[in-house]
């Protein structure tokens, strides 16, 4: 496969990571220094810590996705290392979803104090998005593993 065939996807992976990096570097420190209402600023701290902690598995999963695209470029798409990359992406997506589930009570408290029920729905978006990614990675992992098994079986019979 040509080297540049996955260039668009690699650029997309980089563009996905850029807003999260900007949020972690610029947005969250600004929010800590300038809370909307100082009465519930202490409730924001666990949420901000949770977002920072969830950025770690997010970037590791993005790195694994980037490596998976490199494997595809090198004609190693149907290999065990690709299956391992998908398995890692699945686990990191589950980790991110779990972290946001742990943060939901704090989001609820902020929504209750601010009388903003829509904040709870916004807080649930990362949970469901990362679970969709985890399920998609699990399906791809299983399909790829079955394809590798069929390929190795065919290699043995020929």
């Amino acid at each position: 496969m040509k080297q540049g065939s996955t260039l668009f996807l690699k650029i997309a992976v980089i563009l996905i990571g850029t807003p999260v990096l900007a949020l972690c570097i610029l947005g969250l420190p600004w929010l800590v220094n300038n809370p909307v209402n100082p009465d519930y600023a202490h409730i924001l701290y666990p949420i901000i810590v949770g977002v920072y902690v969830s950025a770690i598995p997010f970037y590791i999963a993005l790195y694994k996705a980037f490596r998976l695209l490199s494997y595809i470029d090198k004609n190693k798409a149907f290999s065990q290392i690709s299956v391992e990359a998908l398995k890692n992406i699945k686990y990191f997506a589950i980790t991110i979803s779990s972290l946001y589930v742990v943060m939901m009570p704090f989001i609820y408290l902020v929504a209750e104090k601010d009388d903003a029920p829509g904040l709870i729905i916004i807080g649930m978006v990362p949970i469901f998005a990362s679970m969709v990614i985890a399920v998609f990675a699990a399906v791809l992992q299983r399909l790829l593993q079955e394809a590798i098994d069929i390929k190795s079986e065919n290699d043995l019979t020929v």
Side-chain angles (χ1 to χ4, degrees):
M1 194 175 281
K2 291 182 183 178
Q3 282 293 97
S5 63
T6 58
L7 180 64
F8 176 73
L9 293 174
K10 288 180 180 179
I11 292 171
V13 167
I14 291 169
L15 289 177
I16 288 170
T18 305
V20 176
L21 184 64
L23 178 71
C24 288
I25 292 175
L26 302 173
L28 295 178
W30 180 85
L31 182 63
V32 169
N33 294 330
N34 304 312
V36 177
N37 189 348
D39 295 337
Y40 57 90
H42 63 281
I43 301 172
L44 290 177
Y45 295 135
I47 296 171
I48 291 170
V49 168
V51 171
Y52 275 122
V53 170
S54 69
I56 296 167
F58 175 76
Y59 279 109
I60 296 172
L62 281 183
Y63 173 74
K64 295 289 183 180
F66 197 83
R67 294 297 305 160
L68 181 62
L69 291 171
S70 297
Y71 299 148
I72 292 170
D73 276 344
K74 296 174 185 173
N75 287 331
K76 295 181 184 178
F78 293 100
S79 64
Q80 201 60 37
I81 53 174
S82 296
V83 173
E84 288 296 319
L86 284 169
K87 184 171 75 170
N88 288 334
I89 291 170
K90 175 183 69 172
Y91 288 145
F92 288 127
I94 291 170
T95 303
I96 292 168
S97 182
S98 301
L99 286 169
Y100 278 95
V101 166
V102 169
M103 289 187 324
M104 278 307 291
F106 299 107
I107 294 172
Y108 174 77
L109 290 173
V110 171
E112 189 70 27
K113 282 203 175 262
D114 201 29
D115 197 26
L119 189 61
I120 295 171
I121 294 173
I122 291 171
M124 294 172 85
V125 168
I127 296 170
F128 292 120
S130 59
M131 285 310 294
V132 165
I133 291 169
V135 169
F136 188 69
V139 168
L140 283 178
Q141 175 192 350
R142 191 169 133 215
L143 287 173
L144 189 59
Q145 185 62 52
E146 288 177 9
I148 290 170
D149 293 343
I150 290 171
K151 181 183 174 200
S152 66
E153 187 177 301
N154 286 342
D155 289 344
L156 291 175
T157 59
V158 172

